Amino acid sequence: MTVLAPSRPVDLMLPPRPSRLVPTLTAIAVGAVVLAAAAGLPIRWTDLASLPAQLLHYGALMFESPNWEKLPRALFETWRSISMAWIGAILCVLVSIPLGMLAAGNVGPVWLRLPLRGLFAVIRAVPEVIIALLLLTITGLTPFTGALALGIAGIGTQGKWVYETIESQQEGASEAVRAAGGGTAEVTRWALWPAAAPALLSFALYRFEINIRTSAVLGLVGAGGIGSMLANYTNFREWDTVGMLLIVVVAATMLMDAVSGAIRRRIMRGPGVRRPDRGLGAGAAGEKGAKGGRDVAGIR
């Protein structure tokens, strides 16, 4: 009888321990930048101790007894801000969807795709307030200035969403259209657009929600709307009216967010499926089932 000797364990090659040098240096560099930025600003850190008391003081001035006499005008200016946001969103969508589709890697050529992506990046780098200040010299202190600023500023972000959505679509439908002899235009129309349309419409509504918030900020630079009214009464230090305006802004923004969110969910999920027998009583459903059973028995 042969006795087998126990096999020797094989020496395992353990991977080298990862170096922590790069993350450590990165953390040190970020910390140094933060400290340099804080040291370069004229900040009195002792004022932080009095900040809660100041917030309570001005909160009481604004919300203890709001001045509701200016409510009709506040509602009108809020409607102006919503109108600016809606027009800006429409302008943004009308321009960004075709340009964004041309910037997609599976649609546009490289000589067109790269300049469009660079244009979107440049627009995203400029805040809406700066665009509004540049447009003030051309269109003046009107709500149309705010709508144009919102529309132009949204092209950068919306265009990026469009070409990323187009590039993320499955290739099955596109390959089927190409196999049938379709070119780039046919692939875009019959394969990419039907698949990406719900997401793009959802993004358009989300852009509208962003514009509602931004329109109040644009009013601070004279673009009209509830922001201009809020800036004026803040400068005059009429805190009871400022409190009423803040309540109106928050309520209108929350209402528009809820409506837009419900529409976006309906677009992404689609309509619900209704059961054929829903709404029939127990007797009607039973009679229908019995009739179906008799028909089947007759066929047999």
Side-chain angles (χ1 to χ4, degrees), residues 54-55 57-63 65 67 228-245:
Q54 293 293 328
L55 290 176
H57 172 69
Y58 285 104
L61 292 177
M62 289 187 291
F63 302 113
S65 57
N67 181 15
S228 297
M229 190 176 179
L230 185 61
N232 292 334
Y233 283 99
T234 303
N235 292 333
F236 289 116
R237 306 182 74 82
E238 297 186 13
W239 301 115
D240 53 350
T241 306
V242 172
M244 181 271 297
L245 294 176

Side-chain angles (χ1 to χ4, degrees), residues 154-190:
I155 292 174
T157 305
Q158 194 77 17
K160 181 179 175 63
W161 289 344
V162 170
Y163 73 72
E164 287 182 348
T165 303
I166 295 297
E167 290 177 348
S168 64
Q169 299 304 313
Q170 300 292 332
E171 293 292 333
S174 302
E175 293 175 355
V177 175
R178 290 192 183 94
T184 303
E186 288 77 14
V187 169
T188 305
R189 170 62 183 87
W190 301 108

Side-chain angles (χ1 to χ4, degrees), residues 80-96:
R80 268 188 164 185
S81 297
I82 295 174
S83 302
M84 282 195 304
W86 180 245
I87 295 175
I90 292 177
L91 293 175
C92 169
V93 169
L94 291 178
V95 176
S96 63

Side-chain angles (χ1 to χ4, degrees), residues 109-159:
V110 64
W111 58 266
L112 180 61
R113 183 168 68 246
L114 294 181
L116 286 176
R117 295 192 179 193
L119 176 63
F120 295 154
V122 171
I123 294 176
R124 287 197 305 272
V126 183
E128 291 89 347
V129 176
I130 302 300
I131 297 176
L133 290 175
L134 295 176
L135 292 175
L136 284 176
T137 59
I138 302 174
T139 57
L141 296 173
T142 61
F144 183 62
T145 302
L148 278 180
L150 292 173
I152 294 174
I155 292 174
T157 305
Q158 194 77 17

Side-chain angles (χ1 to χ4, degrees), residues 27-28 32 35 55 122 130 146 176 181 185 187 205 221 235 263-264 276 278:
I28 293 175
L35 291 177
L55 290 176
V122 171
I130 302 300
V187 169
L205 288 173
V221 298
N235 292 333
I263 297 175
R264 284 194 293 114
R278 181 175 295 178

Side-chain angles (χ1 to χ4, degrees), residues 10 57 124 151 153 167 196 223 255 260 283 295:
V10 182
H57 172 69
R124 287 197 305 272
E167 290 177 348
L255 177 62
S260 178
D295 293 341

